[in-house]
Amino acid sequence: MDDENERAARAKKGSPFLNTAQAAFYIGLSQRTLEKMRLKGGGPQFRKHGRYVRYHIDELDDWSKGHAQETGPEHGGHDSGSAGEGGRS
């Protein structure tokens, strides 16, 4: 895992493009999750460079910022006493 972190750090300094493993590590998801998002949509933008999938680091940051969650009842979150949740958390 440290190797992936180092590769992502080097990539950010050199090339702005990350492969799937580096991009997944950078945003804290699994490679498989990113692969599924590529097929189903909803994930960060990616590019095809020949047969290689690449993620631009700025687009990963933008996607991540766009998925920030605000929690708490005043922001549409739920507290433990809300009805209709079926007891699930």
Side-chain angles (χ1 to χ4, degrees), residues 4-83:
E4 290 176 350
N5 189 19
E6 290 173 18
R7 286 190 304 166
R10 279 195 314 267
K12 186 172 183 177
K13 288 179 186 176
S15 171
F17 296 101
L18 304 178
N19 65 28
T20 302
Q22 293 166 327
F25 183 84
Y26 184 75
I27 59 176
L29 298 175
S30 72
Q31 282 183 248
R32 188 70 183 126
T33 298
L34 272 184
E35 291 166 357
K36 288 179 183 177
M37 289 176 153
R38 271 201 314 265
L39 293 173
K40 296 181 179 182
Q45 281 189 308
F46 65 95
R47 301 164 191 213
K48 294 282 288 206
H49 293 197
R51 65 180 179 152
Y52 300 103
V53 173
R54 296 292 181 252
Y55 294 87
H56 194 281
I57 202 154
D58 291 338
E59 291 169 353
L60 291 172
D61 288 337
D62 291 344
W63 179 83
S64 180
K65 288 175 189 171
H67 284 81
Q69 298 292 316
E70 294 185 14
T71 59
E74 67 277 6
H75 296 292
H78 66 84
D79 58 20
S80 59
S82 58

